[in-house]
Every structure is written in structure tokens, then in C-alpha cells.
Amino acid sequence: GRRTAGSHNDDTIGSRLRVNTRHALLSGLTGLALATAACGGDAFEPPDPLADAGVAGDGTLPTVLEEIRAGWDMPALGAMLIHQGQVLEIAAVGRRALGSSEVVTTEDLWHIGSLTKSMTASVAGALVEAGQISWTTTVAEAIPDIADDIQTDYLDVTLEELLSHTGGLTNQEVETTWWQTQPHSEPLHQQRIDWSVELLNFSPPVARGTFLYANANYIVAGAMLETVSGLVWEDLIQAYVFQRLNMSSAGFGAPGSSAVDQPWGHAPSGTDFRPVEPGPEADNPPAIGPAGTVHLSMPDFAKYAADHIAGERGEDGFLRAETFQKLHTRISTQNVSALGWGTLFRVWADGIALQHSGSNGIWYAVVWLAPERDFGIFVVTNAGGELAGAATDAVTAALLERFEAFVAQ
């Protein structure tokens, strides 16, 4: 059925792995979609809320994180508060892989899943600034070679409709022949074109203009950006995002190696987690890149988030201020989706908060930005599934408490 903003939803990408989003925490901040997760007859008992979350910058964040990690039984957690363009505090606790003695660090690499989408939208913004494409460029204008091969409903779907999940595209990415005949050896641009053609032959499941979260939107948008620029998406994001911000840790797919030199993702298995060694089986196929394959360090994500906050506040950064503001603006009043971001009114944000979460099924990441108050929250775990989402919600709540105590000092 249709996934609506405000639910804790999973956008399933096959039985192997998933790329997920949650566009809203259900209550004002921390409502969890599940109180218990019943697995094999055993109900998981969520831990009690923290008695005292402390004050941002007081040195207790590792202790707070460890209490939440142990309570939710996560392999590891990382968390960061960004304020006035700087990292206010950062910590990481737990193990890189269950069964290993290697502990996580604040410089470790984390897979951020669908948080990649706002980066792809940022690439689009850079190409709009460069005059290579416009927000209203259509699929047929950007990729004329496929116009005869797709359903006519999609010929005039625009870049901004794709980036806001309002173009009427399917979310049945795994129901394609392309998905079911992996692996593919063609160049990545050709893979994205081939997959796009198949996705653009589904009958529209919803009316155009209706929000339906789908990775397909970003696969097609990525193919459009590649075609107009002549560069593959991986090179575009390197040039227009990572290099502009000196995000030297950023890359694609599962980070690290069999040596446990970085965190490994963990697949939910009942109420436990199973470590997944890095490799092709540890992430979705590279062709889905524009929808969700980036990994990076927390300090590098801070650079990216700080620029988005500053841009909304009217400052130029790796993009012009007006481009950031376009990315953060809802395309219609009918839904909360901007371009790569969910936009949600929150009292604690003094207005609109920008939000997204991401998971390939074995990692989980969530970001909240509050531009009016010039701060942001980023939380990661090297595990997937509902409990990982709930644990990151608990960390988000603690970080917000810590920030409020900090500004009240």
C-alpha cells in the first residue's frame, strides 16, 4: 500500500537488503512505531527512558550513548550535535562487529542509506546552477533516447517531481527483471538507464503529484543527471559534494574489509543481530547509488549538514543559498517532501525541521536539522531493522535534551 509521511515505514528492496526511510518521528519528537518487537515468541522490552541526559559538551555523551546502546542491545551507536556550523559534541560506543573486540571510533565510517538522497538532490542543484539542467527538465528532455521505450505518463515528469517522490513512479523496484537478473556487468550509467526504462513501464500506482516514497525516483533522476552531464553519478557527487566540502572519508557501499578495520553492518535475526562481512552482499547493488549507497565519517557528515543549515539561513556554501532553500521547500502543500528531505513542523525547531532516515537493512542513520535554531542531530548504528530505528530515536531524544540544557545554561 501507499506509504505516508508520519509512519515508521520500510521501503523494501528485495529479500536481501532494504533502503528505508522514516519521514517523521510520530509524536512531537520520539514516538516509536513499535512498543515491542515480537520475535520468535519473545517480546523485546524497550529500556526505560534516561533519568538524566546531561548537558551537551559536559563530557557525558559516551556514557549516555552506552546506556542507550546496552538498553536497546545495538552493536554500536554513533551520535553528533552540530551547532553554529561546528560539531558541539560527538561520540561513538560499542563494537565494529559482534564477535570482534574492535571498538568503534568517532572517525569510523558509517553507511547512511537514504540520507544519500539529499546529496543526489544537491548534485542536481549544482547542475542547475551550472545551467546543465533545470528543476522542470522532463525525463524525455534529459534522456531523449528512451522516450519511445517508456509509458507516455512519464515523458513529462520533471526532475523536481522525481526528487520529491511526486512523479507517480512505482516503489516496486524489486519486481523488475533488472533486479532479478543481478549481478550486472554493464557500465553503471547503462545499468541505471536499463533499470529506469523498466521502472518507467509500470503503470503509475498513484496520481502524479501524490507522494509515494520510492527509490525508483532517484534511480531515474540519477540517470537524468548522468546523461545531461556526461559523468557517472559517483563522479558527480565526488565533484559537487565531497570535494567541495573536503569530505575525504566519503565513498560507496559497505565500508571496511574482513579485517574489521571499520564497522560492519548487522542483519536483524530474531531479537539478535548477525554481522555481515563487507562485500557485494553487504549492500544494495551499486546502480541504486543515487538512492542510497554512501558511507562516510560523522565529522564529514557534519560539514554537509552545517552547509545545509547555513544555506537555509541565507548563507552561500557548496551551493548558493537560494539553491539550498529550493532543496528544502515542499513541492506541494499536499505532502511533507521537499527535494531529498522531509520537512516537518516541530516546536523544538522553532518551525520547520529537515529530516530523513536511511537503512539498507543492516545499518541505520537519521538526521534532523533545525535551521531556525542553527543546530542539527545525526545518529548512526551498524544494525538494521525496527529496533535500530527505535534506538536511534532514543538517541535523538537524548541529544535534543542535551542541546536544550546547553542553550539554557
Side-chain angles (χ1 to χ4, degrees):
R2 185 150 59 98
R3 281 118 173 139
T4 55
S7 64
H8 185 146
N9 56 51
D10 284 351
D11 292 282
T12 301
I13 282 287
S15 58
R16 180 157 61 95
L17 292 174
R18 297 175 300 200
V19 178
N20 301 339
T21 186
R22 289 174 311 130
H23 264 304
L25 299 175
L26 299 185
S27 71
L29 172 69
T30 58
L32 305 179
L34 74 171
T36 60
C39 302
D42 297 323
F44 181 90
E45 287 297 326
D48 293 329
L50 296 174
D52 179 14
V55 183
D58 67 1
T60 64
L61 181 58
T63 305
V64 168
L65 266 191
E66 176 55 29
E67 183 178 340
I68 297 171
R69 186 208 63 75
W72 287 98
D73 206 18
M74 292 294 113
L77 283 169
M80 176 173 66
L81 265 173
I82 302 149
H83 181 49
Q84 296 177 343
Q86 304 291 322
V87 175
L88 179 59
E89 63 177 355
I90 184 172
V93 300
R95 301 198 181 277
R96 287 174 170 172
L98 293 177
S100 160
S101 61
E102 297 292 329
V103 295
V104 293
T105 76
T106 55
E107 295 293 332
D108 274 358
L109 305 179
W110 306 82
H111 192 287
I112 63 169
S114 289
L115 273 60
T116 302
K117 288 183 171 72
S118 74
M119 297 180 174
T120 298
S122 297
V123 169
L127 293 183
V128 170
E129 289 181 356
Q132 293 190 266
I133 200 168
S134 79
W135 299 115
T136 55
T137 298
T138 66
V139 172
E141 288 168 347
I143 323 175
D145 288 356
I146 69 170
D148 291 339
D149 303 321
I150 65 174
Q151 285 211 15
T152 55
D153 298 283
Y154 299 119
L155 289 171
D156 63 347
V157 168
T158 65
L159 178 62
E160 65 181 3
E161 287 178 301
L162 293 169
L163 297 175
S164 61
H165 304 282
T166 57
L169 271 70
T170 182
N171 58 6
Q172 301 300 306
E173 297 90 352
V174 301
E175 301 303 319
T176 56
T177 302
W178 187 92
W179 179 273
Q180 292 164 6
T181 55
Q182 298 177 67
H184 296 279
S185 58
E186 302 87 357
L188 278 171
H189 174 62
Q190 190 59 49
Q191 291 188 40
R192 290 175 183 132
I193 292 288
D194 293 345
W195 201 2
S196 293
V197 167
E198 198 171 354
L199 292 165
L200 295 169
N201 271 291
F202 279 78
S203 295
V206 293
R208 195 164 151 193
T210 303
F211 174 80
L212 178 64
Y213 186 88
N215 295 299
N217 290 292
Y218 277 75
I219 297 161
V220 176
M224 289 171 65
L225 299 175
E226 291 179 334
T227 305
V228 301
S229 68
L231 294 171
V232 72
W233 171 81
E234 285 78 359
D235 291 342
L236 287 169
I237 197 171
Q238 283 283 0
Y240 289 112
V241 182
F242 303 157
Q243 289 172 16
R244 287 184 176 188
L245 289 166
N246 193 27
M247 295 166 63
S248 57
S249 73
F252 310 101
S257 69
S258 58
V260 200
D261 51 347
Q262 292 292 344
W264 289 13
H266 289 73
S269 177
T271 53
D272 299 318
F273 291 101
R274 174 178 55 81
V276 180
E277 185 174 336
E281 292 299 308
D283 198 11
N284 285 297
I288 208 171
T293 62
V294 166
H295 69 244
L296 41 58
S297 69
M298 288 194 286
D300 272 354
F301 190 83
K303 300 171 188 175
Y304 175 77
D307 250 39
H308 269 272
I309 293 169
E312 183 62 26
R313 294 172 63 85
E315 298 174 36
D316 291 343
F318 78 93
L319 300 170
R320 298 175 195 150
E322 60 264 29
T323 304
F324 284 117
Q325 291 162 1
K326 168 68 178 179
L327 293 170
H328 302 158
T329 301
R330 298 177 183 185
I331 192 172
S332 90
T333 56
Q334 301 305 114
N335 68 75
V336 301
S337 184
L339 309 185
W341 295 95
T343 60
L344 298 153
F345 179 82
R346 289 292 181 266
V347 172
W348 55 259
D350 281 354
I352 292 293
L354 302 171
Q355 193 270 348
H356 215 290
S357 60
S359 176
N360 67 356
I362 61 174
W363 298 80
Y364 206 102
V366 63
V367 58
W368 286 90
L369 305 182
E372 288 292 324
R373 297 184 67 193
D374 205 1
F375 85 100
I377 290 169
F378 179 59
V379 185
V380 285
T381 182
N382 56 340
E386 297 280 354
L387 293 178
T392 57
D393 278 357
V395 177
T396 299
L399 285 174
L400 183 55
E401 281 188 52
R402 292 174 67 83
F403 181 74
E404 297 293 8
F406 170 80
V407 296
Q409 288 183 129

